[in-house]
Amino acid sequence: MASRAESAASTRRALLDAAAALLDEGGPDAVTLRDVGARAGVSRGAPYGHFADKESLLAAVAAEDWERLSDEIAAQRGTPSERLRGALAALVMIGRRHPHRYRQMFGPPAGEEPGRMIRASCRTQEEFLAIVSELVDERDVHRYGGLLFTGVSGIIAAELSGHFDTGTWRASADELVDTLVALIADGRSQA
């Protein structure tokens, strides 16, 4: 028989999974505590026992997505350039596979525990900067890291908005990511 703590953890997990699925299917408007509870197969009041409101639930989903991204970045193997490409590709894949969750991750922290989302995103950025630090001088790590991270975020936003479909840029999102990585890797070899 499951303990009370195990049961609560199981219910919380089911609620988070249900909220992520609803978010993927229809964006933030599709996520209500009532629908999350129904999808998770728990009582109507169960979501309120774990989350103060919808914003807190969505913030918890975003924090978990940041944590997964951190783990994926930390698990990258190969040369520093290969690991950088892999880390940026992981970020691109979240945007492609889970656009609503991606937007939630990059939105302002909300809910009753905004600190959790901030801590999770900071961990991701630290993992990312650790890779960048192997490619550039220490004094340039944050500048190049910021350029890469925000540049790829812009690339994802442009792709999600359909800007690459117009043909104006004559490059894909992946080609632009590769160009950013090459600029950093080549810059290091020329220094």
Side-chain angles (χ1 to χ4, degrees), residues 5-190:
E6 290 169 333
S7 178
S10 176
T11 298
R12 181 178 173 86
R13 175 79 268 139
L15 292 168
L16 287 165
D17 291 345
L22 287 167
L23 188 58
D24 282 342
E25 291 169 11
D29 291 342
V31 179
T32 66
L33 290 178
R34 180 184 210 145
D35 289 341
V36 167
R39 170 74 64 101
V42 298
S43 70
R44 279 184 153 180
Y48 298 94
H50 293 270
F51 302 99
D53 51 29
K54 172 181 167 174
E55 289 73 27
S56 296
L57 174 58
L58 290 174
V61 170
E64 283 196 344
D65 286 334
W66 279 114
E67 290 163 1
R68 272 192 287 281
L69 179 58
S70 293
D71 293 342
E72 199 166 332
I73 291 172
Q76 294 298 313
R77 298 291 174 251
T79 67
S81 293
E82 291 167 342
R83 291 188 358 258
L84 178 61
R85 176 65 174 94
L88 294 174
L91 184 59
V92 169
M93 289 315 297
I94 291 173
R96 286 180 177 156
R97 291 182 183 158
H98 308 286
H100 296 296
R101 287 165 54 184
Y102 174 84
R103 289 183 185 109
Q104 203 66 41
M105 289 169 67
F106 282 88
E112 62 184 0
E113 279 188 63
R116 180 173 177 224
M117 188 170 143
I118 292 168
R119 285 188 302 278
S121 67
C122 286
R123 178 177 163 234
T124 301
Q125 293 163 25
E126 289 168 8
E127 294 288 349
F128 181 73
L129 288 172
I131 296 171
V132 175
S133 72
E134 296 180 44
L135 291 165
V136 301
D137 291 332
E138 186 178 332
R139 71 179 189 280
D140 295 328
V141 169
H142 291 90
R143 184 166 43 117
Y144 283 113
L147 175 67
L148 288 162
F149 204 79
T150 59
V152 170
S153 296
I155 291 168
I156 297 165
E159 184 176 85
L160 292 176
S161 299
H163 291 289
F164 292 113
D165 297 339
T166 66
T168 301
W169 300 115
R170 297 185 184 140
S172 69
D174 293 320
E175 290 170 324
L176 293 179
V177 171
D178 287 340
T179 300
L180 282 172
V181 171
L183 287 170
I184 299 303
D186 291 348
R188 178 180 184 232
S189 64
Q190 293 174 7

